[in-house]
């Protein structure tokens, strides 16, 4: 049985938890306020889910998802995630996260920042350009006409393979952008950001991205 640690129990964290539980994964999920505040979510998710602290979720995880506001990235426990594949859904909203000069000056990407913080983890960008509600509702079987595609990027090929298999389980095609340094192509305000697109359209939108 695979246990997924999900750090962040908001829109994306809870949608992913729902989708994962439905596919037979065990989920350990955390927020900032403590496991006792996640009772309603756990009741909805059922026996395959439990609430924990972020540290416990990271420790229990075979692989993990970090889905908190970017400004909280520094709080994510790096030690217990070392050696594990970690999916990062982050986007930069300066209105929420405060100004981050490295991003404003295009010197890094949000997921490079996650990789830099999560030393030893294998970080992949995932699920960052799909509205939370679509994660469990817009998937379609492989080969379906106009199947929605999602992008990933990582410096670790096994993390890309992992995300590709997971996207397929959720009903999405994958477009691999390449290294984390290239992942700006699917960040906020780029053509591929939060629009419904199939794989050809996503590839075209990534190619049209301008930094
Ligand atoms: N919403 C979308 O459709 C969407 C789509 C794609 C990507 N994203 C991106 O994905 C990330 C998460 O988005 P969201 O909409 O799910 O956010 P959200 O609904 O605001 O939820 C954020 C979650 O992170 C938790 N959190 C905050 N600080 C934490 C910390 N220090 N330790 C542990 N947990 C912490 C919050 O816990 P508390 O509530 O206890 O504070 C909450 O459960 C953001 O970067 C967002 O830009 C969002």
């Amino acid at each position: 049985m695979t246990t997924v640690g999900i750090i962040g129990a908001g829109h994306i964290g809870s949608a992913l938890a729902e989708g994962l539980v439905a596919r037979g994964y065990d989920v350990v999920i955390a927020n900032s306020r403590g496991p006792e505040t996640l009772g309603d979510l756990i009741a909805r998710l059922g026996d395959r889910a439990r609430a924990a602290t972020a540290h416990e979720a990271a420790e229990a995880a075979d692989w993990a998802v970090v889905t908190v506001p970017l400004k909280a990235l520094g709080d994510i426990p790096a030690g217990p995630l070392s050696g594990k594949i970690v999916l990062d859904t982050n986007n930069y909203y300066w209105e929420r996260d405060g100004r981050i000069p490295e991003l404003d000056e295009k010197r890094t990407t949000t997921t490079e920042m996650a990789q830099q913080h999560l030393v030893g983890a294998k970080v992949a960008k995932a699920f960052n350009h799909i509205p939370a509600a679509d994660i469990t509702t817009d998937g379609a079987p492989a080969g379906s006409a106009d199947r929605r595609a999602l992008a990933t990027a990582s410096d670790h090929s096994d993390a890309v393979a992992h995300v590709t298999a997971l996207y397929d389980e959720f009903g999405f095609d994958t477009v691999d952008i390449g290294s984390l340094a290239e992942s700006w192509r699917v960040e906020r305000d780029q053509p591929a950001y939060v629009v419904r697109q199939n794989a050809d359209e996503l590839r075209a939108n990534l190619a049209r991205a301008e930094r």
Side-chain angles (χ1 to χ4, degrees):
M1 200 56 59
T2 303
T3 298
V4 185
I6 304 181
I7 302 178
H11 294 95
I12 294 282
S14 55
L16 282 174
E18 187 190 322
L20 288 164
V21 161
R23 287 165 180 78
Y25 292 88
D26 289 331
V27 160
V28 183
I29 189 163
N31 64 0
S32 77
R33 285 164 295 151
E36 65 283 0
T37 65
L38 289 171
D40 289 350
L41 176 64
I42 298 301
R44 227 171 49 236
L45 292 172
D47 290 345
R48 288 199 177 279
R50 70 179 170 91
T53 64
H55 199 274
E56 287 164 349
E59 270 190 333
D62 294 310
W63 57 271
V65 181
V66 172
T67 182
V68 299
L70 187 58
K71 65 181 175 189
L73 188 60
D75 296 339
I76 306 306
L81 292 173
S82 183
K84 299 179 182 177
I85 290 173
V86 177
L87 278 49
D88 168 43
T89 78
N90 254 302
N91 295 304
Y92 173 40
Y93 281 85
W94 57 264
E95 304 89 331
R96 175 194 67 193
D97 300 316
R99 286 286 184 190
I100 300 174
E102 301 94 296
L103 292 173
D104 290 337
E105 293 159 19
K106 323 286 185 200
R107 287 188 275 122
T108 189
T109 62
T110 57
T111 306
E112 281 181 294
M113 289 178 64
Q115 178 67 79
Q116 196 173 7
H117 174 66
L118 298 174
V119 179
K122 299 175 180 185
V123 178
K125 192 162 198 73
F127 292 107
N128 82 299
H129 66 120
I130 178 171
D134 290 0
I135 289 176
T136 51
T137 57
D138 203 21
S144 302
D146 207 32
R147 193 187 201 207
R148 190 170 186 158
L150 299 176
T152 189
S154 180
D155 297 339
H156 300 273
S157 58
D158 47 346
V160 171
H162 179 92
V163 172
T164 301
L166 186 71
Y167 278 170
D168 190 52
E169 271 192 77
F170 274 73
F172 304 109
D173 285 337
T174 300
V175 174
D176 177 7
I177 303 176
S179 70
L180 291 181
E182 284 297 305
S183 64
W184 60 269
R185 290 181 179 278
V186 74
E187 286 184 346
R188 180 187 180 188
D189 296 335
Q190 295 295 350
Y193 189 64
V194 194
V195 290
R196 194 193 186 288
Q197 56 215 312
N198 64 29
D200 288 341
E201 292 163 341
L202 175 51
R203 273 188 282 270
N205 282 333
L206 292 167
R208 287 197 300 125
E210 282 182 26
R211 209 172 191 187

